[in-house]
Amino acid sequence: MKRKKIKKVVRSIISLRNQCVDIAKTLAKIRDRYVCVRCGVSKLAGAKIDGSHVKPESHYHDLSAEVTNIKAMCFTCHAWWHLNPTESGAWFREKYPERYEEIHKRALENPIVGRVEWEIRLKILKEKLKKCYRAE
C-alpha cells in the first residue's frame, strides 16, 4: 500500500474514533446530569463540565469511546484527577467499584480496533444520543 493511502486510512480511523469519543463524552455528561461526580458542582451553576476518561484514551483506544470509562468532572476536579493519579484512582475504585471492575477487565483485553469497528460504534453511539435527546 502506498504511503498516501496508509495515511488516509489512519486519518479516517482517527477521525471516526474522535467522533465516537465526542459522543461518548456527551452521553456520560448526560448520564451524570452535567454534575461533577467528585464535588457536585453543576453546569446549571455555571461550571464547565468535562468528560474525563478513567483509563486514559492515549493508552486504551478501545475504551476511549466507552461511556462507562468516562465521568463528568468540573475543571478543578478534572485537573485534580490528572495531577493525583494514585489518589484519584483510589477515589474512583471506592465510589464506583462495579464500574471500575468492568473498566479494568476491559482494559486488560485492550484489542486493536479498526475502521469498520469504529464505524459501527459511531452508528450505535449516534442512536444512543438521539434517544437521550428524545427523552428530554
Side-chain angles (χ1 to χ4, degrees):
M1 205 182 294
K2 292 184 179 180
R3 281 185 185 231
K4 282 187 176 183
K5 190 171 184 179
I6 291 171
K7 284 183 179 180
K8 189 175 182 180
V9 169
V10 169
R11 276 196 303 263
S12 171
I13 291 170
I14 291 170
S15 174
L16 287 166
R17 184 172 73 85
N18 288 342
Q19 290 176 66
C20 289
V21 170
D22 288 345
I23 294 171
K25 284 182 176 184
T26 300
L27 288 168
K29 290 186 278 187
I30 290 169
R31 177 200 60 217
D32 296 337
R33 293 180 168 83
Y34 286 86
V35 173
C36 177
V37 295
R38 180 170 179 250
C39 73
V41 71
S42 71
K43 182 178 178 179
L44 289 174
K48 180 185 181 299
I49 302 297
D50 296 324
S52 173
H53 287 91
V54 177
K55 296 284 187 184
E57 67 178 311
S58 59
H59 292 91
Y60 300 93
H61 294 288
D62 180 52
L63 291 174
S64 62
E66 290 294 328
V67 178
T68 55
N69 187 45
I70 302 170
K71 64 214 167 302
M73 295 191 105
C74 69
F75 177 82
T76 303
C77 291
H78 195 178
W80 167 82
W81 177 266
H82 288 287
L83 293 172
N84 302 284
T86 304
E87 182 184 349
S88 60
W91 168 83
F92 187 83
R93 279 190 300 277
E94 185 178 313
K95 184 161 182 168
Y96 302 102
E98 295 88 15
R99 201 160 130 201
Y100 174 80
E101 286 302 318
E102 179 186 342
I103 294 166
H104 185 68
K105 183 180 171 185
R106 291 281 314 281
L108 293 174
E109 297 167 3
N110 203 22
I112 295 172
V113 182
R115 185 180 61 79
V116 173
E117 290 89 350
W118 284 118
E119 287 173 345
I120 293 167
R121 286 183 184 194
L122 182 58
K123 185 177 179 181
I124 292 167
L125 286 166
K126 283 181 176 179
E127 284 302 315
K128 286 182 180 180
L129 190 60
K130 282 180 189 175
K131 286 179 185 176
C132 284
Y133 286 129
R134 277 189 228 129
E136 289 180 343

